[in-house]
Amino acid sequence: MTAPTHEQVSSDRLAPEGLAPVRTLTLGAAINAGLRAAMDRDPKVVLMGEDIGALGGVFRVTDGLLKDFGERRVMDTPLAESGIVGTAIGMAFRGYRPVLEIQFDGFIFPAFDQITTSLAKLHYRTKGKLTVPLVIRVPYAGHIGAIEHHSESPEALFAHTAGLRIVSPATPQDGYDMIQQSIASPDPVLFFEPKARYWDKGEVDSTRVASQLDLADGASKATAEMSKARVAREGTDVTLMAYGPTVRLAMQAAVAAAEGGVSVEVLDLRSISPFDYETILASVKKTGRGVVVHEAPVAYGTGGELAAHVAEHAFFHLHAPVLRVGGFHMPYPGSKFEHDYLPSLDRVLDAVDKVMAH
């Protein structure tokens, strides 16, 4: 698969020095710039992954970093995901802050045992004596016309395991901020990147997160902030809850619903584990209706967890049951059926109509 470089579609070069604090970047370029800033800040930050060096990764998110930081900090690895994660755990014990790239979402499963039975549990097993500051970047989700193992959304499988933080940026600003906050966090973080959104552009202010991380308690503040949801659009009738790849779809649905007189509030959840229930419950109690939108299958998914929590804690504020819009309970389909499988504008608006009908 050949993807355009972010340099080709971004209006700015990636080198941070000498650039204005506010730049227009693609999501991919923003993550690249965030990685660069973290590596400048801390010489213990190292990158590992398949083809991330000279090639710059399949999606070019690490483009140029090998040239500027050298092969001791940007390391191409064998095609062995379990070995990559296991090696990184050992490096974290020795004081490094490894940032791994899993080339495609479905390639993470050979490392599932390392992540869920070792990485997630080491802090607890040692009664807090050990921390494992490790970030696993995972390009995920669909809309790129690929097949299974290249377009899946496995976030719920990891969110089910205590001891991991699961986050997903939806905007270039969050891509830039949250990758640095994840690296600064003392906890292991799975950083799910919506690959179909890599070329979406937006303004990125590089000063705010830098000021935060310069504080004595910057890591603590960064960890707390990346776990907070964002009100992407205010509304009064329905709360649409989305993260990563479906935030843009939720915003489109809100615009379309407004033309029909329905005011939709959009929450960009940002963090999947933990969820920011304070913001979620405040919004649903205000609107009285909730719809969750994600690309992962609805069955046994994050939407079910959200719906259950809202029902338990905001039942008497609800005018309608919380509905879920997502993928179907089946293996990810071939590319020509992808658009039938993934949430669409029509399916989201249909859910909005249903909760409004109560």
Side-chain angles (χ1 to χ4, degrees), residues 58-219:
V58 169
F59 296 100
R60 309 297 189 264
V61 174
T62 54
D63 190 35
L65 299 180
L66 172 65
K67 176 175 67 68
D68 293 338
F69 293 96
E71 60 185 16
R72 294 180 66 85
R73 297 187 65 191
V74 181
M75 292 172 271
D76 277 326
T77 64
L79 306 182
E81 288 78 10
S82 182
I84 297 169
V85 175
T87 302
I89 292 172
M91 293 179 70
F93 286 168
R94 296 292 295 175
Y96 289 92
R97 288 188 175 264
V99 182
L100 320 181
E101 178 180 298
I102 300 296
Q103 199 168 67
F104 284 95
D105 36 67
F107 298 0
I108 199 170
F109 297 117
F112 190 81
D113 181 43
Q114 288 278 13
I115 295 170
T116 58
T117 65
S118 291
L119 176 62
K121 295 178 171 63
L122 285 165
H123 184 69
Y124 180 79
R125 279 181 192 151
T126 60
K127 298 182 179 179
K129 293 178 181 177
L130 285 180
T131 58
V132 194
L134 190 157
V135 178
I136 303 177
R137 296 181 38 246
V138 188
Y140 82 120
H143 283 296
I144 63 167
I147 57 175
E148 61 172 329
H149 301 319
H150 295 71
S151 297
E152 295 165 351
S153 298
E155 63 273 17
L157 300 177
F158 297 97
H160 187 68
T161 302
L164 301 171
R165 291 186 179 275
I166 316 292
V167 300
S168 183
T171 67
Q173 182 69 66
D174 271 350
Y176 181 81
D177 288 351
M178 290 171 68
I179 189 64
Q180 295 182 71
Q181 292 169 330
S182 297
I183 294 170
S185 173
D187 301 325
V189 179
L190 268 68
F191 193 84
F192 281 94
E193 301 171 4
K195 64 172 87 75
R197 303 273 74 82
Y198 271 145
W199 297 275
D200 288 359
K201 289 183 179 179
E203 285 194 346
V204 175
D205 182 346
S206 61
T207 59
R208 198 186 59 81
V209 72
S211 300
Q212 179 186 65
L213 295 174
D214 284 341
L215 298 172
D217 59 348

